[in-house]
Amino acid sequence: MAKLHLIKLSVGSKNVESMADWQATRRAQTEDGLPRHVTRMWPRRADEVLEGGSLYWVIQGLVQCRQRIVRFDEVIGQDGIRRCAIVLDPEIVRTTTAQKRPFQGWRYLQPGDAPADLPASRRDEEALPADLSAALADIGVL
C-alpha cells in the first residue's frame, strides 16, 4: 500500500480523454516515452510518494483518475531554474469522482483520503458530464 500520494489540477483538460491526448504528445513525455508533468516544487516527501504513490488528477473540479508515479526527474528550464518532472505510468486508472476546490501546484494526499479506483467492470463506461458528476458528488451519490 502506498504511503503517500499527490493530487494536482489538470489545467485545460475537459475530460480524462483530453488529458490522455495531451500526455500522448512528445512535448509531454520524457526521453523514454513516459508521460510527465513538470512543476516548480520538488516533493520533500518524495521517498514516501515513490513507495507506490499515485498522482490523482482533478479535472473540471472533480478527481476523476490517477496515475502511478514512477520517479521524479530534475529538469532545468531555459531560464536556468531547477524544476521537478513527475514521471508517470502511462496507464490512467479511473477513480470514483470526488469534488475538489481549485488550488495551486500539487498537494499531498493521504491514502485514506484518496478516491477508490472504479471496479474493473466500470472502467470502460463513458464518463458522466462534469456538471452531472459534480452534482451527484455534492449530494453524496458518487
Side-chain angles (χ1 to χ4, degrees):
M1 174 168 217
K3 289 195 173 188
L4 196 59
H5 301 293
L6 299 179
I7 187 167
K8 171 94 178 80
L9 301 181
S10 183
V11 178
S13 296
K14 293 184 170 111
N15 51 41
V16 175
E17 291 76 19
S18 67
M19 186 189 76
D21 289 346
W22 163 250
Q23 288 185 359
T25 65
R26 186 69 193 127
R27 184 171 177 215
Q29 296 176 357
T30 60
E31 288 182 14
D32 57 2
L34 294 175
R36 70 176 182 173
H37 178 79
V38 179
T39 183
R40 233 177 359 113
M41 302 303 291
W42 197 282
R44 288 191 176 116
R45 299 172 67 184
D47 290 343
E48 292 173 76
V49 173
L50 291 174
E51 290 186 34
S54 290
L55 179 60
Y56 283 77
W57 288 107
V58 179
I59 301 170
Q60 299 290 312
L62 297 168
V63 179
Q64 296 188 41
C65 61
R66 69 173 180 85
Q67 289 176 279
R68 187 178 57 83
I69 297 172
V70 175
R71 66 180 186 266
F72 298 108
D73 288 349
E74 181 180 66
V75 176
I76 305 295
Q78 291 179 349
D79 55 7
I81 296 175
R82 176 183 183 250
R83 292 180 172 84
C84 176
I86 304 169
V87 181
L88 303 165
D89 186 304
E91 179 185 13
I92 296 173
V93 178
R94 290 186 184 263
T95 64
T96 56
T97 57
Q99 282 191 305
K100 190 71 176 168
R101 294 190 187 277
F103 58 93
Q104 291 186 350
W106 52 262
R107 300 284 184 268
Y108 291 113
L109 179 66
Q110 295 296 327
D113 297 331
D117 292 352
L118 283 180
S121 61
R122 292 191 52 207
R123 288 191 187 145
D124 293 329
E125 288 180 7
E126 196 158 321
L128 294 173
D131 56 343
L132 179 58
S133 288
L136 292 172
D138 193 41
I139 62 172
V141 175
L142 290 179

